[in-house]
Amino acid sequence: GPPTNSVAEPAIEAGSDAVLWVQQALQNLDASERGILMLREYEQLSYAEIGELLRIPVNTVRSRLFRARMALKSQLEADTRPSLHSRAGRADSDNQRNEVCDDHE
């Protein structure tokens, strides 16, 4: 039969595509937002450690991380990749997006 590693390849490709997609969204954030997210998510620092490093209070760390995550989320939602969603799921999210736009008008 086919070697097992060929079965795993598409999953790895999809994963790296998702990583690239998130990295691209990160590039669109403000440098300060990107920096604090990297410290938290990649360096795995605690809020207290980030606060010490950036010389800001822990509450400020919390609010900046919250803002940075919201910004990242909106970047990802603004650039939804069809390849990351099933066809049915994509139709649902498109309908929701149209409804949200209508509310704002």
Side-chain angles (χ1 to χ4, degrees):
T4 50
N5 67 349
S6 71
V7 176
E9 272 170 24
I12 292 164
E13 280 171 18
S16 63
D17 187 56
V19 168
L20 280 172
W21 183 44
V22 170
Q23 281 175 344
Q24 208 145 19
L26 278 168
Q27 295 307 314
N28 292 328
L29 297 182
D30 288 344
S32 61
E33 290 176 335
R34 184 165 63 242
I36 203 162
L37 270 178
M38 298 301 257
L39 291 174
R40 179 70 183 145
E41 305 301 334
Y42 291 89
E43 304 293 333
Q44 301 286 305
L45 298 183
S46 71
Y47 289 1
E49 287 168 328
I50 295 170
E52 275 175 40
L53 199 67
L54 300 179
R55 299 201 169 99
I56 57 175
V58 169
N59 283 341
T60 309
V61 173
R62 281 209 183 96
S63 59
R64 282 199 193 168
L65 271 169
F66 178 78
R67 268 206 306 274
R69 287 196 181 108
M70 291 293 111
L72 183 63
K73 190 166 176 270
S74 65
Q75 283 291 338
L76 293 173
E77 283 171 353
D79 178 33
T80 41
R81 288 281 173 87
S83 63
L84 295 183
H85 301 282
S86 70
R87 202 166 291 138
R90 195 161 72 244
D92 285 349
S93 64
D94 284 348
N95 291 343
Q96 284 169 352
R97 196 174 305 126
N98 292 341
E99 283 165 22
V100 169
C101 290
D102 292 343
D103 287 344
H104 285 302
E105 278 167 18

